[in-house]
Amino acid sequence: MSNAATIDIVSVSKVYGAFNAVQNINLKIPAGSYCCLLGPSGCGKTTTLRMVAGHETVSSGDIRLGSTVVTDLPPARRGTAMMFQSYALFPHLDVVDNVAFSLKMKGVSKDVRHARALEMLKLVQMEAYGNRRPAQLSGGQQQRVALARALITDPEALLLDEPLSALDPFLKIRVRAELKKLQRALGITFVHVTHSQEEAMALADLIVVMNDGRIEQAAPPRDVFERPATAFVARFMGDHNVISGTATGHADGMLTLALPEGFTLVATGEGRDPGAHVDIAIRTDRVRIGEPSQPGLGFTGLVQSIEYRGSTVKLGLSGAGIDDFTAILSDADFFARPVKIGDAVPLCWEAKDTIVLEPLNA
């Protein structure tokens, strides 16, 4: 395989008429890394991927692959390969000819292109299926053939548009492990679009969370999980409670937040001007039932729902003017002191499990 290339997206926007699909984003994807573009439908992640691939034009800005500006180059001259969500295999061709198709278009002889196709099929453990047609393959097998077809072009970067979306839950877990293993073996840059938080966490070295055509946060998975930058990231990743209030003071690295109904909480983070709107985040899996160690690190909540999840139990609560608050307890903790719907329970957490989020337009 070729050497991996850094992908540098510089002040890139995509406009369709009056609609800004991607709004002035800047992103550097390190060479040889596995990057996941993550976000809800319509956030701009697939449009961004297609601009990198050359299947969408850039309205403004530049895209570099390594030291080459590829903004205006056609897809075939970019050094990238794209694996589409639908796999787009030719139904009338067998597996070998599907994989070898791009080499046929370049005029490579049949023997050479078939030998190369078999090398790629061996890489994805599909060499035994070379004579089959796509209709004779399972979804997971078709996915591997599509992957082999993309890799035969010897790309510096592989672009994957929701490649696991058509697979059943058990197969997704197996295939994503194979994708990560393959990326490490090849050493090339992978850019993978997904709307699945779990998928991104399992695969990525770099997670790029997008919303409304903008990048909300670009960071390693642990940073995104433990230190979400914005309220959107905290809510979308689903591992933090987000609470809004008004800044009232700051001391010893702790910001004090007044809630609408007269309650007060504290969180670790930079100070804000008194009266400023502030969002804070509290880890759902660090919330415990018990009295807080200091004021502002807990409140009394009313149990609204209980979901047993095997190793954990999810409680939905309200209180202190907060309508929707989540606590994830271990099954051992919950069943040692079980509660029921309608119970009023003291909730607490540690200061280190709270953060002040960035302002919306920061």
Side-chain angles (χ1 to χ4, degrees):
M1 283 292 170
S2 301
N3 291 328
T6 298
I7 299 173
D8 202 2
I9 299 171
V10 184
S11 302
V12 166
S13 295
K14 178 62 181 179
V15 179
Y16 298 99
F19 176 63
N20 296 318
V22 175
Q23 304 186 53
N24 193 38
I25 65 170
N26 291 279
L27 176 66
K28 179 169 282 189
I29 302 172
S33 64
Y34 201 125
C35 172
C36 280
L37 303 181
L38 174 67
S41 297
C43 71
K45 58 188 186 295
T46 295
T47 300
T48 300
L49 189 79
R50 290 177 62 83
M51 286 192 290
V52 173
H55 297 301
E56 292 281 359
T57 58
V58 173
S59 298
S60 61
D62 277 312
I63 297 173
R64 296 190 183 96
L65 193 73
S67 59
T68 305
V69 177
V70 299
T71 313
D72 298 318
L73 293 181
R77 293 181 55 200
R78 292 196 174 207
T80 62
M82 187 157 177
M83 181 175 158
F84 295 95
Q85 184 176 356
S86 64
Y87 307 149
L89 300 176
F90 297 112
H92 61 288
L93 298 180
D94 65 21
V95 164
V96 168
D97 283 333
N98 261 288
V99 173
F101 186 78
S102 64
L103 299 186
K104 182 179 181 181
M105 292 297 98
K106 293 179 180 178
V108 176
S109 68
K110 184 176 181 179
D111 288 347
V112 172
R113 69 177 185 260
H114 278 196
R116 181 68 174 149
L118 287 170
E119 286 179 24
M120 293 297 101
L121 288 170
K122 186 174 182 179
L123 190 65
V124 297
Q125 301 174 350
M126 283 294 291
E127 67 271 25
Y129 299 86
N131 295 325
R132 294 194 185 184
R133 300 285 176 90
Q136 297 172 301
L137 303 176
S138 68
Q141 290 169 336
Q142 290 183 39
Q143 194 251 20
R144 293 182 190 181
V145 174
L147 189 58
R149 185 181 59 182
L151 292 171
I152 202 170
T153 62
D154 200 21
E156 294 175 284
L158 180 65
L159 313 176
L160 304 103
D161 184 13
E162 300 207 35
L164 308 182
S165 62
L167 306 181
D168 67 65
F170 293 104
L171 191 55
K172 278 184 183 182
I173 293 172
R174 194 178 82 193
V175 173
R176 78 186 184 202
E178 292 173 354
L179 271 178
K180 184 68 175 178
K181 181 180 178 182
L182 183 63
Q183 187 267 334
R184 285 175 174 162
L186 297 174
I188 64 175
T189 308
F190 275 37
V191 186
H192 176 136
V193 162
T194 181
H195 60 268
S196 167
Q197 297 91 333
E198 181 184 353
E199 195 171 296
M201 293 290 290
L203 286 168
D205 304 309
L206 174 68
I207 291 179
V208 180
V209 184
M210 296 189 68
N211 178 42
D212 195 26
R214 297 183 176 91
I215 293 175
E216 296 266 344
Q217 186 172 9
R222 190 177 183 191
D223 289 352
V224 174
F225 181 80
E226 294 195 347
R227 307 289 298 181
T230 66
F232 174 83
V233 176
R235 290 190 177 104
F236 185 76
M237 296 306 293
D239 52 277
H240 282 78
N241 293 293
V242 178
I243 299 172
S244 300
T246 303
T248 59
H250 185 261
D252 300 324
M254 299 292 290
L255 181 138
T256 304
L257 182 81
L259 303 187
E261 295 187 8
F263 294 91
T264 299
L265 295 178
V266 296
T268 54
E270 295 182 2
R272 302 281 168 79
D273 293 336
H277 174 89
V278 177
D279 291 318
I280 68 169
I282 300 167
R283 281 275 297 267
T284 58
D285 62 334
R286 301 294 172 82
V287 179
R288 295 290 176 261
I289 294 175
E291 296 296 334
S293 58
Q294 69 181 72
L297 292 177
F299 64 89
T300 297
L302 191 67
V303 179
Q304 305 284 358
S305 63
I306 301 172
E307 294 181 7
Y308 175 63
R309 298 182 166 190
S311 60
T312 62
V313 177
K314 177 183 176 182
L315 301 184
L317 307 112
S318 63
I322 305 163
D323 293 328
D324 186 12
F325 190 87
T326 299
I328 306 292
L329 307 179
S330 72
D331 61 331
D333 286 346
F334 177 82
F335 289 108
R337 292 186 297 174
V339 298
K340 61 183 183 299
I341 293 174
D343 284 354
V345 296
L347 302 171
C348 64
W349 51 85
E350 298 297 322
K352 63 183 175 62
D353 298 318
T354 69
I355 55 173
V356 178
L357 299 168
E358 293 176 9
L360 182 62
N361 297 316

